[in-house]
Amino acid sequence: MDFSSLNTTAEEAARRLLGCILERTINGHTVRCRIVETEAYDETDAASHSYKGRTPRTEIMFGPPGYLYVYFTYGMHYCSNVVVGPEGVGAAVLIRAVEPIGDNAESILEEQRQGKTGKDLTNGPAKLCQALRIDTALNSHNLQKAPLKLLLQKPVEMRDIVVTTRIGIRLARDMPWRFYLRGNPYVSKL
DNA sequence: AGCGGGATTTTCT
DNA sequence: GAAAATCCCGCTT
């Protein structure tokens, strides 16, 4: 898979990643999900972890595109990002929601999310990490390889993308850097 | 449907 | 020491 189309601005990459597939292998089972909601973060953005430059945590954001950035927050949750932009630029796209695809997907994800079903399996950045069993063990993972692959798809049409402000941040609240698939039931918030 | 609080620990100042 | 790219539950309308 050629990730050169992610070698661009966080905003453009966040649009590009909508509709793309995450393929996760858990205990020999392979589950596929479509990315339906993203947010862009880059080093000019006060809300971004990379805003204050390189630190041990953010180093991965400054690397080449196509790697996974996982961070831990609120004492109990993990969130997943796809590193984007050219090497040397600290940019990433937060995966905020995904939609399970195929017959086996939901039942496998339910095993990771005690008592939750349907859209509640994956309609939030920390929920989808739990459902797909993503934690800091996968930080800096190369998304070309199992057990977690990113499969790029045909770019989604502009008219099928809704653009809004981001969720859960304090700084730079007004920037329109959240993107989701119009009408998709797995989107975390309208 | 909407609001408010608590959980809990990494990260950087 | 404070904040954090969140989630879940319980209470009120």
Side-chain angles (χ1 to χ4, degrees):
Chain A
M1 180 78 47
D2 171 20
F3 286 158
S4 61
S5 63
L6 301 179
N7 197 13
T8 179
T9 63
E11 182 177 349
E12 193 173 305
R15 293 174 175 277
R16 180 69 185 82
L17 285 169
L18 288 176
C20 295
I21 306 294
L22 282 176
E23 187 179 84
R24 171 69 164 137
T25 305
I26 303 174
N27 293 340
H29 299 282
T30 296
V31 178
R32 286 202 194 81
C33 293
R34 267 176 102 205
I35 297 171
V36 303
E37 179 181 350
T38 59
E39 284 179 358
Y41 290 88
D42 76 50
E43 64 190 33
T44 69
D45 164 20
S48 173
H49 293 166
S50 58
Y51 182 61
K52 292 182 178 161
R54 294 175 187 249
T55 67
R57 178 173 69 154
T58 63
E59 184 63 29
I60 184 69
M61 288 182 72
F62 290 84
Y67 287 79
L68 190 70
Y69 167 44
V70 181
Y71 67 86
F72 181 72
T73 191
Y74 291 102
M76 72 186 76
H77 296 302
Y78 300 98
C79 293
S80 292
N81 301 253
V82 176
V83 174
V84 301
E87 188 159 8
V89 173
V93 173
L94 173 68
I95 308 302
R96 283 199 56 90
V98 300
E99 172 180 8
I101 295 176
D103 297 332
N104 66 338
E106 289 221 359
S107 63
I108 292 171
L109 299 185
E110 282 169 10
E111 291 175 24
Q112 322 300 319
R113 295 242 333 125
Q114 191 65 39
K116 298 298 194 290
T117 59
K119 69 184 178 176
D120 293 329
L121 289 170
T122 54
N123 63 345
K127 295 180 191 180
L128 70 91
C129 281
Q130 188 182 7
L132 293 172
R133 210 186 276 183
I134 295 171
D135 60 24
T136 47
L138 279 170
N139 189 37
S140 78
H141 171 74
N142 182 344
L143 291 168
Q144 314 250 25
K145 304 187 311 185
L148 182 60
K149 287 188 187 179
L150 173 63
L151 310 175
L152 296 181
Q153 306 294 120
K154 186 166 74 74
V156 169
E157 300 277 351
M158 205 78 108
R159 63 174 171 276
D160 295 325
I161 299 176
V162 179
V163 184
T164 69
T165 54
R166 296 174 293 179
I167 293 187
I169 54 171
R170 188 169 54 89
L171 302 168
R173 277 209 180 105
D174 297 336
M175 307 313 297
W177 289 339
R178 171 173 177 251
F179 308 91
Y180 63 85
L181 294 183
R182 190 181 301 283
N184 188 282
Y186 285 81
V187 169
S188 67
K189 278 188 137 130
L190 302 176

